[in-house]
Amino acid sequence: MLLNDWVTNASNRLTAVRVASPKLEAQVLAAHSMLVDRTWVLTHPEHVVNDLALEGLLQRRESGEPLAYILGYREFFSRRFRVDSNVLIPRQETEVLVETALELPVDRLKALDIGTGSGCIAITLKLERPNWEVWATDISSSALQVARENAETLGADITFRHSNLLEQLAGEKFDLIVSNPPYIGRNEIIPREVREFEPDSALFADDNGLAIYRQLAATIKDHLTPGGRVILEIGQEQGLAVSALYPGSEIIKDLSGNDRVVMWRFADDP
Ligand code: GLN
């Protein structure tokens, strides 16, 4: 079969299962299978393809498996992070959290990313601010393995700890604590692709998704230096509820205009 015909056919099949950018994804799958880039696919329409190899990838995508898991990577902040089904796929909205942290006018600080997953937040902070000391935790050791591998590939020196939230960090204090915790309520309706393929522990939390923000609010002061900041990603409906847990905090919107981040400063005075 000719490459161009395969792409047209695959694009039609992806349209039928409501993939949002079917043609682009068909081209990306073909490129991935043939170890070339998408430009090569676009410029070699007459190339004869091995459609058996391609069919396997296409069927995975048709079944709803996210493209990032099939490819094994996702771009975040212009860098490529390896992902597998042990970690949440980095989302563009999370770049708002990272940008908010990068705006802090501090040359040197000690930062912690709680629930690092693929490591995309912690690693980006370290690479963008090499003078910062960056720590990262996750409750999942298989997620930590992915994060460590990304840190090594991208050349980021991070201190990793296997920990449920702050439990294994007794005595450690930070100038900045960031997190994109699980915040989806257990009964919320979310895309099947997300619910069926991404790790539950990275998505869902009790109390309509607010449980982790509550748990953190109870212990986080023990781990902050005076004036330390907390920057949390939130669900778009959670701005008021989360800012109430962190009195005096500020809500920051994402590019779509939705509440996306809560930033709080720990004022160490009575
Ligand atoms: N932002 C993710 C989503 O909407 C959820 C990730 C999270 O709960 N932190 O799919």
Side-chain angles (χ1 to χ4, degrees):
M1 185 185 261
L2 299 185
L3 180 51
N4 191 42
D5 294 337
W6 186 84
V7 168
T8 304
N9 187 32
S11 171
N12 290 339
R13 281 168 59 182
L14 293 177
T15 305
V17 293
R18 298 174 198 282
V19 165
S21 310
K23 187 147 195 191
L24 176 75
E25 292 207 11
Q27 291 160 348
V28 169
L29 286 175
H32 177 69
S33 163
M34 296 161 66
L35 304 176
V36 296
D37 61 18
R38 199 167 69 88
T39 310
W40 194 95
V41 171
L42 295 173
T43 51
H44 295 77
E46 311 273 298
H47 181 78
V48 177
V49 297
N50 168 2
D51 37 327
L52 257 176
L54 284 166
E55 178 62 21
L57 294 181
L58 180 58
Q59 283 183 11
R60 284 171 68 185
R61 189 66 190 101
E62 269 183 314
S63 80
E65 185 173 348
L67 186 66
Y69 289 154
I70 299 173
L71 303 176
Y73 66 84
R74 170 58 49 93
E75 308 270 326
F76 182 79
F77 229 84
S78 307
R79 296 186 182 90
R80 184 174 282 199
F81 287 82
R82 190 176 86 70
V83 295
D84 64 25
S85 58
N86 292 302
V87 300
L88 188 81
I89 299 167
R91 308 284 205 266
Q92 205 188 347
E93 302 91 272
T94 304
E95 296 192 353
V96 177
L97 183 160
V98 170
E99 278 160 359
T100 305
L102 293 176
E103 277 166 19
L104 295 176
V106 188
D107 187 40
R108 280 174 197 278
L109 56 69
K110 185 171 169 189
L112 168 68
D113 175 22
I114 299 175
T116 196
S118 65
C120 65
I121 297 173
I123 292 168
T124 304
L125 291 180
K126 180 65 190 176
L127 294 175
E128 297 293 322
R129 294 288 181 271
N131 286 337
W132 290 9
E133 178 184 345
V134 180
W135 292 44
T137 65
D138 208 287
I139 192 173
S140 153
S141 44
S142 32
L144 273 183
Q145 216 171 312
V146 174
R148 279 182 204 278
E149 197 182 310
N150 278 321
E152 186 162 337
T153 309
L154 291 164
D157 182 12
I158 311 259
T159 303
F160 288 104
R161 288 276 185 279
H162 186 206
S163 174
N164 180 20
L165 305 182
L166 293 151
E167 281 171 14
Q168 303 302 317
L169 294 174
E172 293 294 341
K173 287 192 192 276
F174 300 88
D175 308 299
L176 168 66
I177 297 182
V178 300
S179 183
N180 173 20
Y183 57 67
I184 300 176
R186 298 200 184 273
N187 300 323
E188 247 176 82
I189 294 167
I190 60 167
R192 190 178 71 88
E193 221 176 284
V194 176
R195 185 177 283 275
E196 279 183 19
F197 288 91
E198 297 197 71
D200 278 5
S201 60
L203 295 171
F204 301 107
D206 292 332
D207 290 341
N208 297 321
L210 295 171
I212 307 293
Y213 303 113
R214 284 218 171 94
Q215 283 179 47
L216 282 178
T219 52
I220 209 159
K221 289 179 186 164
D222 298 339
H223 297 276
L224 285 168
T225 57
R229 316 262 175 169
V230 176
I231 305 178
L232 302 170
E233 181 168 323
I234 58 165
Q236 60 188 72
E237 309 294 338
Q238 295 172 326
L240 289 181
V242 176
S243 54
L245 292 168
Y246 299 84
S249 58
E250 180 188 345
I251 302 173
I252 297 156
K253 292 186 189 296
D254 62 21
L255 294 173
S256 319
N258 296 317
D259 289 352
R260 186 56 62 200
V261 162
V262 164
M263 174 152 77
W264 182 70
R265 184 171 175 276
F266 174 41
D268 190 25
D269 33 49

